[in-house]
Coordinates of all heavy atoms in Angstrom, one line a residue:
S42 N -80.0 57.5 120.1 CA -81.0 57.2 121.1 C -82.1 56.2 120.4 O -82.2 56.1 119.3 CB -81.7 58.5 121.5 OG -82.4 59.1 120.5
W43 N -82.8 55.5 121.4 CA -83.8 54.7 120.8 C -85.0 55.4 120.3 O -85.7 54.9 119.3 CB -84.2 53.6 121.9 CG -84.9 54.0 123.1 CD1 -84.3 54.2 124.3 CD2 -86.3 54.2 123.3 NE1 -85.3 54.5 125.4 CE2 -86.5 54.5 124.7 CE3 -87.4 54.2 122.6 CZ2 -87.7 54.8 125.2 CZ3 -88.7 54.5 123.1 CH2 -88.7 54.7 124.5
S44 N -85.2 56.6 120.6 CA -86.3 57.4 120.0 C -85.8 57.9 118.6 O -86.7 58.4 117.9 CB -86.7 58.6 120.9 OG -85.6 59.5 120.8
V45 N -84.6 57.7 118.2 CA -84.0 58.2 116.9 C -83.8 59.6 116.9 O -83.3 60.2 115.9 CB -84.8 57.6 115.8 CG1 -84.1 57.7 114.4 CG2 -85.3 56.2 115.9
R46 N -84.2 60.4 117.9 CA -84.3 61.8 117.9 C -82.8 62.3 118.0 O -82.5 63.4 117.5 CB -85.0 62.4 119.0 CG -86.5 62.8 118.5 CD -87.3 63.5 119.5 NE -87.9 62.6 120.5 CZ -88.6 63.0 121.5 NH1 -88.6 64.2 121.9 NH2 -89.2 62.0 122.2
N47 N -82.0 61.7 118.8 CA -80.6 62.2 119.1 C -79.5 61.3 118.7 O -79.6 60.0 118.7 CB -80.5 62.3 120.6 CG -81.4 63.5 121.1 OD1 -81.9 64.3 120.4 ND2 -81.6 63.5 122.4
T48 N -78.5 61.9 118.1 CA -77.3 61.3 117.7 C -76.0 62.0 118.3 O -76.2 63.1 118.6 CB -77.2 61.1 116.2 OG1 -77.2 62.6 115.6 CG2 -78.3 60.3 115.6
L49 N -75.0 61.2 118.4 CA -73.7 61.8 118.9 C -72.6 61.2 118.1 O -72.5 60.0 117.7 CB -73.6 61.5 120.4 CG -72.5 62.2 121.1 CD1 -72.7 63.6 121.2 CD2 -72.4 61.6 122.6
Y50 N -71.5 62.0 117.8 CA -70.5 61.5 117.0 C -69.1 61.9 117.7 O -69.1 63.1 118.3 CB -70.5 62.1 115.7 CG -71.6 61.6 114.8 CD1 -72.8 62.4 114.7 CD2 -71.6 60.6 114.1 CE1 -73.9 61.9 114.0 CE2 -72.7 60.1 113.4 CZ -73.9 60.8 113.3 OH -75.0 60.4 112.6
A51 N -68.1 61.1 117.6 CA -66.8 61.5 118.0 C -66.4 62.7 117.0 O -66.8 62.6 115.8 CB -65.9 60.3 117.8
D52 N -65.4 63.5 117.5 CA -65.1 64.6 116.6 C -64.3 64.1 115.3 O -64.4 64.7 114.3 CB -64.2 65.6 117.5 CG -64.9 66.4 118.4 OD1 -66.2 66.5 118.3 OD2 -64.2 67.0 119.3
S53 N -63.7 63.0 115.6 CA -62.9 62.5 114.5 C -63.6 62.0 113.2 O -63.1 61.8 112.2 CB -62.0 61.3 115.1 OG -62.7 60.3 115.5
V54 N -64.9 61.7 113.4 CA -65.8 61.2 112.4 C -66.9 62.1 112.0 O -67.6 61.8 111.0 CB -66.4 59.7 112.8 CG1 -65.2 58.8 113.1 CG2 -67.5 59.9 113.8
K55 N -67.1 63.2 112.8 CA -68.2 64.1 112.5 C -68.1 64.6 111.1 O -67.0 65.1 110.7 CB -68.1 65.3 113.5 CG -69.5 65.8 113.9 CD -69.3 66.8 115.0 CE -69.1 66.1 116.3 NZ -69.0 67.1 117.4
G56 N -69.2 64.6 110.4 CA -69.3 65.1 109.0 C -69.0 64.1 108.0 O -69.2 64.2 106.9
R57 N -68.4 62.9 108.5 CA -68.1 61.8 107.5 C -68.9 60.5 107.8 O -69.2 59.8 106.9 CB -66.6 61.5 107.7 CG -65.7 62.5 107.4 CD -64.1 62.1 107.4 NE -63.8 61.6 108.6 CZ -63.3 60.4 108.8 NH1 -63.3 59.6 107.8 NH2 -63.0 60.0 110.0
F58 N -69.2 60.3 109.0 CA -70.0 59.1 109.3 C -71.4 59.5 109.8 O -71.7 60.6 110.4 CB -69.4 58.4 110.6 CG -68.0 57.7 110.4 CD1 -67.4 57.9 109.1 CD2 -67.5 56.9 111.2 CE1 -66.2 57.4 108.9 CE2 -66.3 56.3 111.0 CZ -65.6 56.5 109.8
T59 N -72.3 58.6 109.5 CA -73.8 58.8 109.9 C -74.3 57.6 110.5 O -74.3 56.4 109.9 CB -74.6 59.2 108.7 OG1 -74.0 60.4 108.1 CG2 -76.1 59.5 109.1
I60 N -74.8 57.7 111.7 CA -75.5 56.5 112.4 C -77.0 56.7 112.2 O -77.6 57.8 112.2 CB -75.1 56.5 113.9 CG1 -75.7 55.1 114.5 CG2 -75.7 57.7 114.6 CD1 -75.1 55.0 115.9
S61 N -77.6 55.6 111.9 CA -79.1 55.4 111.8 C -79.6 54.1 112.3 O -78.7 53.2 112.5 CB -79.5 55.7 110.3 OG -79.0 54.6 109.5
R62 N -80.9 54.0 112.4 CA -81.4 52.7 112.8 C -82.8 52.5 112.2 O -83.5 53.5 111.8 CB -81.5 52.7 114.3 CG -82.5 53.7 114.9 CD -82.3 53.8 116.5 NE -82.8 52.5 117.0 CZ -82.5 52.2 118.3 NH1 -81.7 52.9 119.0 NH2 -83.0 51.0 118.9
D63 N -83.1 51.2 112.0 CA -84.5 50.9 111.5 C -85.0 49.9 112.6 O -84.7 48.7 112.7 CB -84.4 50.1 110.2 CG -85.7 49.9 109.6 OD1 -86.6 49.8 110.3 OD2 -85.7 49.6 108.4
N64 N -85.9 50.5 113.4 CA -86.5 49.7 114.6 C -87.4 48.6 113.9 O -87.7 47.7 114.8 CB -87.2 50.7 115.5 CG -86.3 51.5 116.4 OD1 -85.0 51.2 116.4 ND2 -86.8 52.5 116.8
T65 N -87.8 48.7 112.8 CA -88.8 47.6 112.2 C -87.9 46.5 111.8 O -88.4 45.4 111.7 CB -89.6 48.1 111.1 OG1 -88.7 48.5 109.9 CG2 -90.3 49.4 111.3
K66 N -86.6 46.6 111.6 CA -85.7 45.6 111.2 C -84.7 45.2 112.3 O -83.8 44.5 112.0 CB -85.1 45.9 109.9 CG -85.9 46.2 108.8 CD -85.2 46.4 107.5 CE -86.2 46.6 106.2 NZ -85.5 47.0 105.0
N67 N -84.8 45.8 113.5 CA -83.8 45.6 114.5 C -82.4 45.8 114.1 O -81.6 44.9 114.5 CB -84.1 44.2 115.2 CG -85.3 44.1 116.0 OD1 -86.1 45.1 116.1 ND2 -85.5 43.1 116.8
T68 N -82.2 46.8 113.4 CA -80.9 47.0 112.8 C -80.4 48.5 113.0 O -81.2 49.3 112.8 CB -80.8 46.6 111.3 OG1 -81.3 45.3 111.1 CG2 -79.4 46.9 110.7
V69 N -79.1 48.6 113.2 CA -78.5 49.9 113.3 C -77.3 50.0 112.3 O -76.7 48.9 112.0 CB -78.0 50.2 114.8 CG1 -76.8 49.3 115.2 CG2 -77.4 51.7 114.9
F70 N -77.2 51.1 111.6 CA -76.2 51.3 110.6 C -75.2 52.4 110.9 O -75.5 53.2 111.7 CB -76.9 51.7 109.3 CG -78.1 50.7 108.9 CD1 -79.5 51.1 109.3 CD2 -77.9 49.7 108.2 CE1 -80.4 50.2 108.9 CE2 -78.9 48.8 107.8 CZ -80.2 49.1 108.2
L71 N -74.1 52.2 110.3 CA -73.1 53.2 110.3 C -72.5 53.4 108.9 O -71.9 52.6 108.4 CB -71.9 52.8 111.2 CG -70.9 54.0 111.4 CD1 -71.4 55.1 112.2 CD2 -69.6 53.4 112.1
Q72 N -73.0 54.6 108.3 CA -72.6 54.9 106.9 C -71.2 55.7 107.1 O -71.2 56.8 107.8 CB -73.6 55.7 106.3 CG -73.2 56.1 104.9 CD -73.1 55.1 103.9 OE1 -74.0 54.2 103.8 NE2 -72.0 55.1 103.2
M73 N -70.2 55.2 106.5 CA -68.9 55.8 106.6 C -68.5 56.3 105.2 O -68.3 55.4 104.3 CB -67.8 54.7 107.2 CG -68.3 54.1 108.5 SD -67.1 53.0 109.2 CE -66.9 51.8 108.0
S74 N -68.1 57.6 105.2 CA -67.6 58.1 103.9 C -66.4 58.8 104.1 O -65.9 59.1 105.2 CB -68.7 59.1 103.4 OG -70.0 58.5 103.3
S75 N -65.7 59.2 103.0 CA -64.4 59.9 103.1 C -63.5 59.2 104.0 O -62.9 59.8 104.9 CB -64.6 61.4 103.5 OG -65.5 62.1 102.6
L76 N -63.4 57.9 103.9 CA -62.6 57.0 104.8 C -61.1 57.5 104.7 O -60.6 57.7 103.7 CB -62.8 55.6 104.6 CG -64.1 55.1 105.2 CD1 -64.6 53.8 104.5 CD2 -64.1 55.0 106.7
K77 N -60.5 57.3 105.8 CA -59.0 57.6 106.1 C -58.3 56.4 106.5 O -58.9 55.6 107.3 CB -58.9 58.8 106.9 CG -59.7 60.1 106.6 CD -59.4 61.1 107.7 CE -60.2 62.3 107.4 NZ -60.0 63.4 108.5
P78 N -57.0 56.3 106.3 CA -56.3 55.2 106.9 C -56.5 55.0 108.4 O -56.5 53.9 108.9 CB -54.9 55.5 106.4 CG -55.0 56.2 105.2 CD -56.2 57.0 105.3
E79 N -56.6 56.2 108.9 CA -56.7 56.2 110.5 C -58.1 55.7 111.0 O -58.2 55.5 112.2 CB -56.4 57.5 111.1 CG -57.2 58.7 110.5 CD -56.3 59.4 109.4 OE1 -55.6 58.7 108.6 OE2 -56.4 60.6 109.4
D80 N -59.0 55.5 110.1 CA -60.2 54.8 110.4 C -60.2 53.2 110.5 O -61.1 52.6 111.0 CB -61.3 55.2 109.4 CG -61.7 56.6 109.4 OD1 -61.8 57.3 110.5 OD2 -61.8 57.3 108.2
T81 N -59.0 52.8 110.2 CA -58.8 51.3 110.1 C -58.9 50.8 111.6 O -58.2 51.3 112.5 CB -57.3 51.0 109.6 OG1 -57.4 51.3 108.2 CG2 -57.1 49.5 109.8
A82 N -59.8 49.8 111.8 CA -60.0 49.3 113.2 C -61.1 48.3 113.1 O -61.7 47.9 112.0 CB -60.6 50.4 114.1
V83 N -61.2 47.5 114.3 CA -62.4 46.5 114.4 C -63.5 47.4 114.9 O -63.3 48.1 115.9 CB -62.1 45.5 115.2 CG1 -63.3 44.6 115.4 CG2 -60.9 44.6 114.7
Y84 N -64.6 47.4 114.3 CA -65.8 48.2 114.7 C -66.8 47.3 115.3 O -67.1 46.3 114.9 CB -66.5 48.9 113.5 CG -65.6 50.1 112.9 CD1 -64.5 49.9 112.3 CD2 -66.2 51.3 113.1 CE1 -63.7 50.9 111.9 CE2 -65.4 52.4 112.8 CZ -64.2 52.2 112.1 OH -63.5 53.4 111.7
Y85 N -67.3 47.7 116.5 CA -68.2 47.0 117.4 C -69.5 47.8 117.5 O -69.4 49.1 117.7 CB -67.6 46.8 118.7 CG -66.3 46.0 118.8 CD1 -65.1 46.5 118.7 CD2 -66.4 44.6 118.8 CE1 -63.9 45.9 118.7 CE2 -65.1 43.9 118.9 CZ -64.0 44.5 118.8 OH -62.8 43.8 118.8
C86 N -70.6 47.2 117.4 CA -71.8 47.8 117.9 C -72.1 47.3 119.4 O -71.7 46.3 119.8 CB -73.0 47.5 117.0 SG -73.7 45.9 117.0
A87 N -72.9 48.2 120.1 CA -73.3 47.9 121.4 C -74.7 48.4 121.7 O -75.1 49.5 121.0 CB -72.3 48.6 122.4

């Protein structure tokens, strides 16, 4: 959310990925850990 208070994850990435944002830098991040071959894809932000 834009207030940074709420986040939501797909079940397939829960516990492995973390979304965050820095509103002072107009940037959103996706930290991905414990990556699996099935995570292979083109990733888009929206």
Side-chain angles (χ1 to χ4, degrees):
S42 63
W43 63 261
S44 70
V45 195
R46 265 187 271 174
N47 291 344
T48 58
L49 187 66
Y50 296 93
D52 287 343
S53 59
V54 307
K55 206 172 290 183
R57 300 188 298 122
F58 291 11
T59 302
I60 188 171
S61 61
R62 64 190 294 163
D63 185 341
N64 287 344
T65 66
K66 297 181 179 179
N67 285 9
T68 303
V69 63
F70 305 97
L71 185 68
Q72 178 67 48
M73 306 186 295
S74 303
S75 302
L76 282 162
K77 305 175 182 179
E79 50 264 43
D80 294 318
T81 295
V83 177
Y84 284 71
Y85 300 90
C86 73

